[in-house]
């Protein structure tokens, strides 16, 4: 699909008035601002996507009994693994996967910035909340209104499971985000709809409620929130693996622009095609810039959103330190390179200098780059920097042979001038304007979850 109208590459054209001002004896070579090195496009190995799609088959693996809920994500869309809902003690031992799937389908995804209150003490507790990614602070309110931090909840933790049994309860604590946080919420109304359609689910919850009294758990709430097993029964965590019944299929995205040149421009020169070729060159450059931006930021397939939630970590103290890059590096085998904004690379250099560490430069593709542990840190100005001066660093293993990250394209298309990019003449209108449709088709796939890691919340200072 093409980019939104406010994000599309500006059309490259020259007006008739501009054509009149050109001197016939002067040869001009059009230039443009913003052509970057595009190291991501250079470093990625490219795979063919016949028919415009590329399927990635994976195993679905999850652990029961560890007290945390697991998730799957397709781009920025996060979904609860239905079987993992058994971590809620009232659903422990429930075997009907259709009912669990119906519950999982009704979770609503919400994203919160740092410092935002998700639930507040005293308000009606009408949702089950599961933290998919991020950190939140659990704050209790004392007898005299004083607040105390009861703990920090992170990926896989949950609160509000008592909503399954107590529809009129209130929140006995406040939850406030510490980092950007993704939360999946299940409204009480959705619970009632599912239990109304699946009588065995309602019967199971009532049976669990009729059982022995439940002790307090590690988060200071009733065992209805979290339990390692049935009351009085010790259960060890177990890991389960199955085939993913809905394998991910990556469809090629398309970026397009229209190149328009007035025929009078071509008539001003001895070689009429020279201006067309130069304008076309700039158009291709602009599309390639857009392509790299999408490979990083697109919410459906971009690397920042497509990284597995378990492969996203935060810095220890804010700025990018050698310790942070070591932790990012240790989570995967055969890492080929880091990818960071140039300002992030400068911030990392300052941290190294402050510690008296001077990493050796690293050669890559005939160029010398800042490096760490023998790996190049490639610059990419498409990685965003937030208003709070935070950004991210990516580390990746690449290539289909190593089950890494691969770029996707389809070559051999009609009117192709570069791999996966074609130019089609679309005619001349009544005003003698020549038009060309320039298109490029692309995507990127992470073949195995640990092929890509992201260091988040990286502070780069002023």
């Amino acid at each position: 699909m093409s980019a939104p109208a406010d994000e599309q590459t500006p059309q490259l054209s020259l007006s008739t008035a501009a054509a009149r001002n050109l001197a016939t004896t002067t040869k001009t070579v059009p230039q443009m601002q913003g052509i970057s090195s595009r190291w991501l496009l250079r470093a990625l190995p490219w795979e063919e996507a016949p028919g415009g799609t590329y399927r990635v088959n994976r195993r679905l693996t999850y652990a029961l009994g560890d007290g945390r809920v697991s998730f799957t994500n397709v781009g920025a869309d996060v979904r609860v693994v239905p079987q993992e809902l058994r971590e809620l003690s009232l659903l422990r031992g429930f075997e009907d996967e259709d009912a669990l799937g119906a519950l999982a389908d009704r979770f609503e995804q919400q994203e919160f910035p740092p410092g935002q209150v998700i639930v507040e003490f005293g308000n009606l507790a009408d949702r089950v909340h599961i933290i998919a990614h991020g950190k939140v602070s659990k704050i209790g309110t004392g007898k005299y209104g004083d607040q105390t931090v009861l703990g920090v909840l992170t990926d896989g933790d949950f609160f509000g499971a008592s909503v399954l049994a107590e529809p009129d309860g209130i929140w006995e604590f406040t939850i406030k985000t510490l980092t950007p946080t993704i939360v999946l919420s299940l409204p009480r109304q959705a619970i009632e709809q599912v239990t109304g359609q699946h009588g065995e689910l309602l019967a199971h919850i009532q049976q669990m409620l009729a059982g022995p009294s439940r002790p307090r758990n590690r988060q200071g709430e009733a065992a209805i929130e979290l339990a390692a097993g049935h009351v009085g029964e010790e259960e060890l965590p177990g890991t389960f693996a199955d085939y993913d019944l809905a394998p991910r299929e990556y469809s090629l995205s398309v970026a397009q622009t229209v190149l328009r040149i007035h025929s009078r421009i071509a008539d001003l020169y001895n070689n009429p095609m020279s201006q067309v070729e130069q304008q076309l060159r700039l158009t291709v450059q602009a599309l390639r810039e857009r392509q790299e931006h999408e490979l990083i930021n697109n919410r459906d397939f971009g690397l920042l959103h497509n990284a597995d939630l378990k492969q996203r970590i935060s810095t220890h103290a804010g700025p990018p330190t050698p310790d942070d890059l070591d932790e990012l590096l240790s989570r995967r085998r055969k890492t080929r390179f880091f990818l960071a904004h140039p300002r992030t690379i400068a911030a990392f250099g300052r941290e190294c200098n402050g510690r008296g560490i001077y990493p050796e430069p690293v050669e890559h593709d005939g160029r010398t780059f800042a490096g760490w542990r023998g790996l190049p840190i490639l610059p990419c100005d498409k990685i965003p920097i937030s208003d709070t001066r935070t950004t991210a660093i990516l580390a990746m293993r690449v290539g289909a042979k190593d089950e890494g990250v691969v770029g996707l394209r389809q070559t051999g298309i009609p009117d192709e001038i570069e791999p996966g990019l074609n130019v089609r003449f679309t005619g001349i209108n009544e005003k003698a304007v020549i038009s060309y449709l320039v298109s490029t088709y692309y995507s990127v796939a992470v073949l195995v979850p640990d092929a890509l890691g992201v260091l988040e919340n990286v502070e780069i200072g002023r």
Side-chain angles (χ1 to χ4, degrees):
M1 61 184 291
S2 58
D6 58 343
E7 298 183 2
Q8 285 184 354
T9 303
Q11 294 179 356
L12 305 176
S13 61
L14 295 177
S15 65
T16 303
R20 292 171 179 170
N21 293 330
L22 290 174
T24 58
T25 58
T26 303
K27 180 178 181 180
T28 60
V29 179
Q31 299 297 329
M32 66 175 287
Q33 296 178 346
I35 298 179
S36 67
S37 54
R38 300 194 294 269
W39 280 107
L40 177 61
L41 297 188
R42 299 189 193 186
L44 278 180
W46 292 86
E47 293 289 322
E48 285 292 318
T53 59
Y54 188 88
R55 173 176 289 186
V56 176
N57 294 309
R58 287 183 182 176
R59 288 192 311 163
L60 177 64
T61 304
Y62 56 92
L64 281 179
D66 61 352
R68 297 182 183 275
V69 177
S70 299
F71 307 86
T72 59
N73 65 292
V74 176
D77 295 328
V78 182
R79 187 176 187 271
V80 178
V81 176
Q83 296 86 344
E84 285 281 285
L85 291 176
R86 297 177 188 139
E87 294 294 349
L88 282 68
S89 62
L90 284 185
L91 300 180
R92 178 70 66 175
F94 185 64
E95 298 297 336
D96 189 338
E97 296 194 359
D98 289 339
L100 293 175
L103 281 176
D105 289 340
R106 284 167 171 76
F107 274 87
E108 301 172 358
Q109 181 174 337
Q110 298 173 287
E111 299 182 16
F112 299 94
Q116 185 164 338
V117 173
I118 299 177
V119 302
E120 190 169 7
F121 174 82
N123 289 346
L124 178 65
D126 59 351
R127 287 173 176 258
V128 179
H129 296 277
I130 307 178
I131 301 171
H133 185 61
K135 291 182 180 180
V136 302
S137 178
K138 182 178 178 182
I139 303 169
T141 302
K143 181 178 179 181
Y144 300 102
D146 54 318
Q147 294 187 335
T148 304
V149 176
L150 302 177
V152 174
L153 308 181
T154 186
D155 300 13
D157 285 329
F158 48 87
F159 53 94
S162 57
V163 172
L164 290 169
E166 303 169 9
D168 299 322
I170 63 170
W171 294 114
E172 299 179 353
F173 47 80
T174 296
I175 298 292
K176 188 175 183 179
T177 60
L178 299 174
T179 66
T181 304
I182 302 173
V183 175
L184 296 186
S185 302
L186 180 65
R188 174 70 193 179
Q189 182 179 3
I191 297 173
E192 293 173 348
Q193 290 175 353
V194 175
T195 53
Q197 297 170 359
H198 299 268
E200 64 280 5
L201 175 60
L202 178 61
H204 180 85
I205 293 176
Q206 292 174 343
Q207 181 181 357
M208 296 295 290
L209 289 173
S213 61
R214 293 173 293 279
R216 310 297 284 186
N217 68 14
R218 63 179 174 87
Q219 297 178 13
E221 303 173 33
I224 192 172
E225 289 286 326
L226 176 64
H230 297 297
V231 175
E233 175 185 338
E234 182 177 358
E235 182 177 334
L236 297 177
T239 300
F240 300 86
D242 198 355
Y243 290 106
D244 189 346
L245 299 180
R248 175 80 183 269
E249 287 191 352
Y250 292 86
S251 297
L252 295 185
S253 182
V254 58
Q256 293 180 321
T257 190
V258 177
L259 171 62
R260 294 189 176 97
I261 302 178
H262 200 285
S263 60
R264 187 173 299 172
I265 299 289
D267 293 340
L268 292 175
Y269 303 99
N270 293 329
N271 182 4
M273 289 305 297
S274 63
Q275 286 303 302
V276 176
E277 291 170 354
Q278 291 296 333
Q279 294 289 348
L280 180 59
R281 178 180 65 86
L282 298 186
T283 303
V284 170
Q285 292 283 352
L287 279 183
R288 291 303 190 196
E289 291 289 327
R290 183 66 193 180
Q291 177 181 354
E292 186 174 66
H293 179 274
E294 290 291 299
L295 293 184
I296 294 288
N297 297 288
N298 189 284
R299 288 183 64 86
D300 291 329
F301 59 83
L303 295 177
L304 285 178
H305 298 285
N306 211 38
D308 189 86
L309 297 179
K310 295 180 181 178
Q311 299 298 325
R312 305 180 190 181
I313 61 175
S314 292
T315 60
H316 290 88
T321 65
D323 294 336
D324 294 323
L325 262 63
D326 278 343
E327 183 173 354
L328 185 62
L329 182 62
S330 66
R331 288 174 170 253
R332 64 200 40 79
R333 58 185 174 84
K334 294 185 178 182
T335 301
R336 295 294 180 86
F337 56 84
F338 298 98
L339 196 70
H341 194 282
R343 295 175 63 184
T344 309
I345 298 175
F348 177 68
R350 291 193 296 269
E351 291 297 315
C352 289
N353 291 340
R355 298 174 180 227
I357 300 174
Y358 306 99
E360 291 288 334
V362 178
E363 291 249 348
H364 176 80
D365 198 23
R367 298 280 298 276
T368 302
F369 297 91
W372 182 248
R373 302 295 187 190
L375 298 175
I377 307 177
L378 303 182
C380 178
D381 62 355
K382 312 303 188 302
I383 299 177
I385 297 176
S386 71
D387 295 338
T388 56
R389 321 291 286 183
T390 60
T391 182
I393 299 176
L394 287 74
M396 63 187 80
R397 180 177 69 248
V398 297
K401 182 178 179 180
D402 290 328
E403 297 179 319
V405 180
V406 296
L408 303 177
R409 66 188 180 193
Q410 183 179 4
T411 59
I413 56 180
D415 304 313
E416 185 176 57
I417 63 169
E418 290 185 6
L421 186 148
N422 66 352
V423 178
R424 290 191 172 187
F425 173 72
T426 56
I428 304 176
N429 65 15
E430 65 279 1
K431 296 182 180 180
V433 175
I434 307 170
S435 297
Y436 296 89
L437 178 64
V438 188
S439 308
T440 181
Y441 306 85
Y442 57 87
S443 189
V444 63
V446 182
L447 302 186
V448 175
D450 72 349
L452 172 66
V454 180
L455 179 65
E456 299 179 322
N457 306 315
V458 178
E459 298 178 4
I460 61 173
R462 297 182 179 179

